[in-house]
Amino acid sequence: MRWLWFALGWLMVALGVIGALLPVMPTTIFLILAVGCFARSSPRFEQRLLSHPRYGPSLRLWREQGAVSRKGKAFASAGMAVGFAMFCWGAHPSWRLLLGVGLFFAVSAGYVLSRPAPRFDLSPLVGVDDAADPRAARRRASSSDSNGTSDDAAC
């Protein structure tokens, strides 16, 4: 069964690559599915996708929070609108097919737009040692103390 998940993961990666090249086909959804398939078959490839410089942040955001960024929502909605317009212009479909495809795109866009926005925690998960950082020392020196006065001892 593991080899089936592995093959399906690579199929999803291939569809994601095609989606990156074609304006009417999505990319991220196929990569999300690929990460899920690789989670069941190959942790190494799962980590490669999650650490990808371009797609990794959105994949991790989806996995951790089920969230889609504003930019992602805008691009997905615009891509569906352009895809629908190209379908109408190029295929000259019957009104029934046009209605079916339009409903599919509307439901898909509604789902993407209904996903929560990312939550960004301001507190770091790991403590940062900035004692050796001269910029941090300058920030501490120029910051105000609890009275609202600046700390002159650092000058």
Side-chain angles (χ1 to χ4, degrees), residues 134-145:
R135 292 175 296 181
R138 282 194 296 269
R139 281 193 303 271
R140 283 191 302 270
S142 65
S143 67
S144 299
D145 63 3

Side-chain angles (χ1 to χ4, degrees), residues 29-83:
I29 187 63
F30 291 116
L31 295 180
I32 288 171
L33 292 170
V35 167
C37 293
F38 287 141
R40 292 166 178 80
S41 63
S42 174
R44 186 180 77 167
F45 286 114
E46 175 191 20
Q47 286 306 311
R48 285 186 69 184
L49 282 175
L50 290 173
S51 63
H52 189 274
R54 180 176 178 117
Y55 297 108
S58 59
L59 295 174
R60 288 188 307 272
L61 191 62
W62 178 261
R63 174 177 269 182
E64 294 165 4
Q65 300 178 17
V68 178
S69 68
R70 284 188 199 170
K71 183 179 174 183
K73 290 178 185 182
F75 275 109
S77 300
M80 285 184 249
V82 168

